[in-house]
Amino acid sequence: AGGGVAEETPHAVPVAIVGRPNVGKSTLISRVSAARPRIADYPFTTLEPCLGVVAVDDEDSFVMADIPGLIAGAHQGRGLGDRFLKHVERTRVLLHLIDVAEFIDRDPVEDYSVILRELESFNPSVARKPMLMVASRVDAAGDSDRLFGLREFCRERQCPLFEISSVTGQGLDELKRAAWARLQEIPRPSFPENSVSEM
């Protein structure tokens, strides 16, 4: 079916980008839509969800939300995380960005686990939403084993891994098409009238 945005109700944002702070969420939405979020190299530069319309082709598009970064304890309010997680409840597909840049000293698999635990602790149904795993900043992965480790983790779980660089544009078209395809598989839910306005 064409005309994705025209068919979306004003009650839900179809796709949300989730992840830890500073993993490239705001840069991604600025590359795939006309949204212009605040981008800086320090935590919590995004304090409210930023919405952008993502064109898949000449006919189809969908709305994407850049959700502020989540940290351990988010479901208990750390980093304003409980407020951010409420926005995720009203979305249908999650893009989970995991930073694989070689200069990051965290384990990418642990980053994934932290976010999943927070989603589960906040609301188990949120953790069960369709999720696309996205390796972010592959242009800066270098010779580190961060990207390799995440590839192996996804391979073992038979979970596709989308490798992107918002700097070079690598993988962005593939990710947009995959998000759109996943949306087509999910029935559109009903949400309260003020869902998007509160985002």
Side-chain angles (χ1 to χ4, degrees):
V5 161
E7 294 180 6
E8 292 295 345
T9 72
H11 315 314
V13 175
V15 177
I17 313 171
V18 299
R20 293 179 64 100
N22 293 107
V23 296
K25 299 183 300 296
S26 296
T27 305
L28 172 59
I29 199 170
S30 73
R31 284 298 307 270
V32 298
S33 77
R36 291 296 175 263
R38 183 178 182 183
I39 299 173
D41 192 20
Y42 54 86
F44 305 115
T45 53
T46 303
L47 296 179
E48 296 290 341
C50 177
L51 304 182
V53 177
V54 179
V56 181
D57 52 36
D58 291 340
E59 295 184 348
D60 299 320
S61 56
F62 60 88
V63 178
M64 178 183 287
D66 166 19
I67 302 296
L70 301 172
I71 60 175
H75 72 283
Q76 297 173 324
R78 286 195 65 201
L80 299 178
D82 54 343
R83 192 180 78 188
F84 299 160
L85 284 164
K86 289 177 182 177
H87 298 305
V88 181
E89 282 187 305
R90 298 193 289 264
T91 62
R92 292 161 51 207
V93 172
L94 305 181
L95 304 185
H96 189 165
L97 261 63
I98 302 169
D99 193 345
V100 296
E102 62 181 341
F103 54 82
I104 303 297
D105 59 5
R106 299 188 309 265
D107 177 0
V109 174
E110 178 59 20
D111 276 3
Y112 163 79
S113 299
V114 165
I115 298 302
L116 202 64
R117 285 195 298 268
E118 292 308 316
L119 296 177
E120 177 74 30
S121 297
F122 177 74
N123 183 338
S125 66
V126 172
R128 292 193 297 268
K129 286 179 181 288
M131 179 184 293
L132 302 185
M133 294 282 284
V134 185
S136 175
R137 296 179 180 168
V138 296
D139 59 292
D143 296 326
S144 74
D145 60 0
R146 290 175 54 76
L147 178 55
F148 176 78
L150 190 58
R151 284 173 177 165
E152 286 297 297
F153 177 79
C154 291
R155 184 185 61 79
E156 291 170 0
R157 287 155 182 75
Q158 298 183 327
C159 169
L161 177 64
F162 296 89
E163 301 180 13
I164 69 164
S165 167
S166 296
V167 173
T168 68
Q170 175 184 339
L172 297 186
D173 286 342
E174 181 185 7
L175 180 61
K176 289 191 296 183
R177 290 193 296 269
W180 173 254
R182 195 69 185 89
L183 280 171
Q184 304 317 297
E185 301 170 1
I186 307 169
R188 287 182 171 83
S190 296
F191 288 87
E193 190 68 33
N194 59 357
S195 290
V196 166
S197 63
E198 290 184 355
M199 293 187 93

